[in-house]
C-alpha cells in the first residue's frame, strides 16, 4: 500500500474542500422534485373546486391523492417525465379503472415524452443557476367508469414565479 507524500496532502485537501463546497451548493430544493407539496396542494384545490373530497396517502411508491365525488372515484399521482413508473401505475390503476395521463391540458392514454423531458432538463439547469421557473406536471390519473376527468381543470403549471401573471 502506498501512502501520500507531503506534496500530495495539499492537493487532497483542495479536492476535498472543492467537493464539500459543491455538495453544500447543490443542497438547494429544486422545483422539479416529483410529488412535492405544491403539486399536492394544487391538485387538492382543483379537485375541491370540482366537487371532490380528497385525502393524501403515502403509498410505497410515493404520494397519491385519493378523491371521490358522487359515484366517481379517482387517484392522482405525479408521473415522472422519464416514464419509468408507467408499468407500476398501470397495475395500481387496475382495481379502480382506466389510467390516463394529463399534461398541459391534453389527456391521453400514453404519457407524453419529448416536451416533458426537455422541460425537466431545462428546469433542472435553471434551478442550478438559482432561477425559479414554473414546471408542467404530468398527472397519472386512474378513474372509475363514472368519472369525466375532462371536467377537472388540471393545473398546467406548478410553482409559477410571482412576477408572471396568472393564466387565463
Amino acid at each position: 500500500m502506498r501512502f501520500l507524500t507531503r506534496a500530495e496532502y495539499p492537493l487532497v485537501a483542495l479536492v476535498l474542500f472543492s467537493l464539500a463546497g459543491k455538495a453544500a451548493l447543490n443542497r438547494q430544493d429544486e422545483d422539479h422534485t416529483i410529488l412535492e407539496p405544491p403539486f399536492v396542494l394544487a391538485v387538492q384545490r382543483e379537485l375541491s373546486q370540482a366537487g371532490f373530497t380528497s385525502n393524501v396517502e403515502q403509498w410505497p411508491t410515493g404520494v397519491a391523492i385519493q378523491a371521490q365525488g358522487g359515484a366517481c372515484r379517482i387517484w392522482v399521482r405525479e408521473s415522472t417525465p422519464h416514464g419509468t413508473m408507467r408499468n407500476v401505475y398501470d397495475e395500481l390503476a387496475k382495481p379502480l379503472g382506466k389510467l390516463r395521463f394529463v399534461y398541459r391540458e391534453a389527456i391521453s392514454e400514453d404519457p407524453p415524452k419529448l416536451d416533458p423531458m426537455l422541460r425537466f432538463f431545462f428546469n433542472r439547469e435553471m434551478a442550478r443557476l438559482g432561477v425559479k421557473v414554473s414546471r408542467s406536471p404530468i398527472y397519472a390519473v386512474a378513474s372509475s367508469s363514472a368519472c369525466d376527468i375532462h371536467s377537472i381543470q388540471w393545473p398546467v403549471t406548478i410553482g409559477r414565479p410571482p412576477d408572471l401573471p396568472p393564466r387565463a
Side-chain angles (χ1 to χ4, degrees):
M1 175 184 276
R2 184 177 95 72
F3 293 100
L4 296 176
T5 65
R6 286 184 185 232
E8 292 173 321
Y9 280 112
L11 181 61
V12 169
L14 181 64
V15 168
L16 290 175
F17 182 73
S18 172
L19 290 174
K22 289 175 185 175
L25 291 175
N26 283 327
R27 294 188 56 84
Q28 65 186 353
D29 292 332
E30 296 180 358
D31 273 347
H32 65 270
T33 303
I34 303 300
L35 303 173
E36 66 182 21
F39 172 82
V40 171
L41 295 174
V43 170
Q44 283 189 305
R45 181 181 64 242
E46 295 302 327
L47 289 173
S48 175
Q49 289 177 0
F52 286 84
T53 57
S54 64
N55 64 319
V56 179
E57 296 180 359
Q58 182 66 44
W59 291 2
T61 56
V63 175
I65 302 159
Q66 299 273 2
Q68 185 164 353
C72 175
R73 288 186 2 201
I74 64 174
W75 64 248
V76 181
R77 303 188 47 132
E78 186 171 2
S79 184
T80 65
H82 309 92
T84 55
M85 298 293 286
R86 171 66 191 267
N87 293 339
V88 174
Y89 294 160
D90 280 336
E91 287 301 313
L92 292 171
K94 280 182 182 177
L96 187 57
K98 193 171 191 171
L99 176 67
R100 285 168 287 190
F101 295 89
V102 180
Y103 180 70
R104 301 182 66 77
E105 298 180 347
I107 299 174
S108 67
E109 293 187 17
D110 294 313
K113 304 265 190 244
L114 184 60
D115 187 62
M117 282 297 285
L118 293 174
R119 289 177 188 272
F120 170 80
F121 289 120
F122 174 78
N123 288 353
R124 184 180 71 182
E125 296 309 313
M126 294 305 286
R128 287 180 179 169
L129 296 172
V131 177
K132 297 237 181 214
V133 295
S134 61
R135 63 184 181 82
S136 299
I138 304 168
Y139 303 91
V141 181
S143 61
S144 64
S145 60
C147 297
D148 176 19
I149 66 168
H150 292 81
S151 66
I152 300 170
Q153 180 67 39
W154 301 99
V156 174
T157 58
I158 304 292
R160 181 175 290 281
D163 59 327
L164 293 177
R167 67 182 171 97

